[in-house]
Amino acid sequence: SLNLITSKHDSNIKILKNNINEILGENLKDFEYLKQIDSIHEGKHHRIYKITTSNDKILVLRIPYKLDTELYIKRKISSEVATMEFLNLNLKNKINIPKVLAYSNNYENKIGLPFILMEYKSGDLLMRQWNPLISGEINEENSKKELLKVINPIADINDQLNSIIFNKFGSIYFKDDLPNGFESKEIDIIDNGKVEGEFVIGPTVEKAYFRNKELIKEEDLIKYLGPWNSNEPLKMIKDLIQLELENFKLKLS
């Protein structure tokens, strides 16, 4: 089960105590300082740093670029962390997902940036094995074998993710992170047993609902973000269309 607490030193930093105990050990006196920080990747949405602790434990720090509104970054980090933990708890031994140790979804913390601090998983990037220009026809045995080295792992992950069918459309949050104004309802998984942890389905963090919507006030935006009942899939599209129309009116005015 999940033990989500706020830092004693900064109320805007949330700590997943169970994961810290598992990855770093319960005696944190061994981690009084960080020995080294290396920039290891600059992706489409985040800067990625590898952190080495004083006793050679390795962690990953992800810091989002400031490409989106603070509201979107806040919602996205909250949902991403909750989704990772949800999958770790409910798809045990099926998907190898890094565990989150701590996170903040806003700029009002001692670091001054939103971030996710997580477990380091060693291994090679699939993108480095991808070679679409491999010689030979795509159906030839050697060509197919090389391409499937990358395609099969991705397909397997998607197969596991699609094995969970929810009773609502939206995004996953911890109960404590559910935005104000949204009703907290337990997650029901259809034909898939019990949900572990304290999670809820809340408003979507799908980018289309936030992209170029800076003119819309938050209290107006939330009217169109769901969550939607699973028997109303078209309501998602109608709300997005209505949101785009409202945004267009504001831009014209």
Side-chain angles (χ1 to χ4, degrees), residues 173-185:
Y173 295 82
F174 296 129
K175 284 182 180 179
D176 290 346
D177 281 340
L178 190 68
N180 293 333
F182 290 92
E183 185 180 356
S184 176
K185 291 185 177 180

Side-chain angles (χ1 to χ4, degrees), residues 19 24 47 71 75 114-116 148-149 178 186 201 203:
N19 290 349
L24 298 182
R47 290 186 178 91
L71 173 63
R75 296 280 180 86
F115 69 89
I116 301 175
L148 289 180
K149 282 182 181 179
L178 190 68
E186 300 287 344
I201 295 288

Side-chain angles (χ1 to χ4, degrees), residues 71 75 179-180 216-223 225:
L71 173 63
R75 296 280 180 86
N180 293 333
I216 300 181
K217 296 179 181 179
E218 181 177 353
E219 57 265 30
D220 296 322
L221 184 65
I222 62 175
K223 300 173 185 176
L225 301 181

Side-chain angles (χ1 to χ4, degrees), residues 5 8 14 38 55 179 195 210 225:
I5 60 174
K8 292 180 180 179
K14 296 188 177 181
D38 300 300
N55 68 338
V195 176
F210 292 86
L225 301 181

Side-chain angles (χ1 to χ4, degrees), residues 65-229:
Y65 298 122
K66 198 171 184 180
L67 300 175
D68 301 296
T69 64
E70 290 189 17
L71 173 63
Y72 180 68
I73 291 174
K74 181 177 182 179
R75 296 280 180 86
K76 191 170 185 292
I77 285 181
S78 296
S79 182
E80 184 172 355
V81 171
T83 301
M84 291 172 68
E85 283 305 297
F86 176 87
L87 294 174
N88 265 319
L89 288 169
N90 292 283
L91 289 178
K92 292 177 181 176
N93 304 319
K94 295 181 179 179
I95 301 181
N96 190 9
I97 299 173
K99 294 186 176 179
V100 175
L101 281 69
Y103 68 99
S104 179
N105 60 16
N106 59 72
Y107 291 83
E108 304 300 322
N109 57 60
K110 288 191 174 183
I111 295 177
L113 294 165
F115 69 89
I116 301 175
L117 180 66
M118 56 200 294
E119 176 186 12
Y120 176 80
K121 295 280 190 181
S122 60
D124 295 326
L125 294 175
L126 277 179
M127 63 184 294
R128 291 179 179 171
Q129 300 178 33
W130 178 245
N131 181 18
L133 299 180
I134 190 170
S135 60
E137 297 293 329
I138 194 170
N139 288 325
E140 290 181 12
E141 192 61 33
N142 288 339
S143 303
K144 185 187 295 185
K145 184 178 179 181
E146 286 300 309
L147 295 175
L148 289 180
K149 282 182 181 179
V150 176
I151 294 173
N152 280 342
I154 296 173
D156 290 342
I157 289 173
N158 277 284
D159 185 52
Q160 292 296 334
L161 295 177
N162 289 326
S163 69
I164 303 177
I165 302 175
F166 299 93
N167 66 333
K168 290 185 180 298
F169 296 108
S171 295
I172 299 174
Y173 295 82
F174 296 129
K175 284 182 180 179
D176 290 346
D177 281 340
L178 190 68
N180 293 333
F182 290 92
E183 185 180 356
S184 176
K185 291 185 177 180
E186 300 287 344
I187 290 180
D188 290 329
I189 296 180
I190 300 173
D191 298 329
N192 207 72
K194 182 182 177 183
V195 176
E196 290 192 37
E198 300 204 350
F199 303 95
V200 294
I201 295 288
T204 184
V205 292
E206 182 67 35
K207 188 66 175 288
Y209 291 81
F210 292 86
R211 186 186 294 115
N212 300 323
K213 305 295 190 306
E214 294 85 356
L215 296 177
I216 300 181
K217 296 179 181 179
E218 181 177 353
E219 57 265 30
D220 296 322
L221 184 65
I222 62 175
K223 300 173 185 176
Y224 306 101
L225 301 181
W228 304 272
N229 292 327

